[in-house]
Amino acid sequence: MPESFDIDPTRELVICRVWGTLSNEDVREHYRRLAADPHFDPAYRQLADLREVTEFSVDSNTLEEIARAQIFARGTRRAFIAPSGIAFGLARMFSAHAAVAGQVMEVFLDARAAEDWLESSSA
């Protein structure tokens, strides 16, 4: 599976990284594994890095399903780093569905801007 995550309880942050080809099943499995991890706290913020994804095989139905699944607590800040193009567009679509479910999610082209936005919420 072309993904990993690290849960940092000190920073109350989940750092996710995806690379290679990303499929519907990869997205579902990533969130299944994350939710099942005993260190996962739904109130932790999320930083998701999509910059190394080379191909997307994800459909809009899966994005909507996962975005509305309420894995993270309502109001939890989530930042996605996505280069322009398909990754950025899909992340924005995911963000729109997540907003309907009460998530606070932004998509950034720049990693530093994403990290600064997340850190501004922990003050």
Side-chain angles (χ1 to χ4, degrees):
M1 175 170 310
E3 59 80 29
S4 68
F5 63 83
D6 182 45
I7 299 171
D8 185 342
T10 305
R11 294 174 59 199
E12 298 181 348
L13 181 66
V14 177
I15 302 165
C16 303
R17 188 169 132 313
V18 185
W19 61 90
T21 300
L22 183 64
S23 71
N24 288 329
E25 190 51 38
D26 292 333
V27 173
R28 287 186 183 101
E29 182 61 20
H30 172 76
Y31 281 101
R32 273 194 294 269
R33 286 186 339 102
L34 182 58
D37 190 295
H39 298 101
F40 176 67
D41 183 330
Y44 285 0
R45 295 162 295 133
Q46 180 188 29
L47 178 65
D49 188 346
L50 306 176
R51 293 176 293 178
E52 295 181 61
V53 177
T54 56
E55 183 180 343
F56 289 90
S57 179
V58 180
D59 62 46
S60 60
N61 291 335
T62 299
L63 289 178
E64 181 177 4
E65 168 195 331
I66 299 301
R68 293 183 181 204
Q70 294 295 327
I71 293 168
F72 286 87
R74 292 178 73 81
T76 299
R77 279 195 180 200
R78 302 169 67 191
F80 279 43
I81 307 163
S84 59
I86 293 172
F88 191 85
L90 289 173
R92 292 287 296 145
M93 182 186 305
F94 187 90
S95 174
H97 291 303
V100 171
Q103 303 293 307
V104 179
M105 187 178 153
E106 293 289 335
V107 181
F108 297 87
L109 295 171
D110 177 71
R112 182 77 249 156
E115 292 167 6
D116 288 347
W117 180 75
L118 285 174
E119 291 301 320
S120 71
S121 72
S122 64

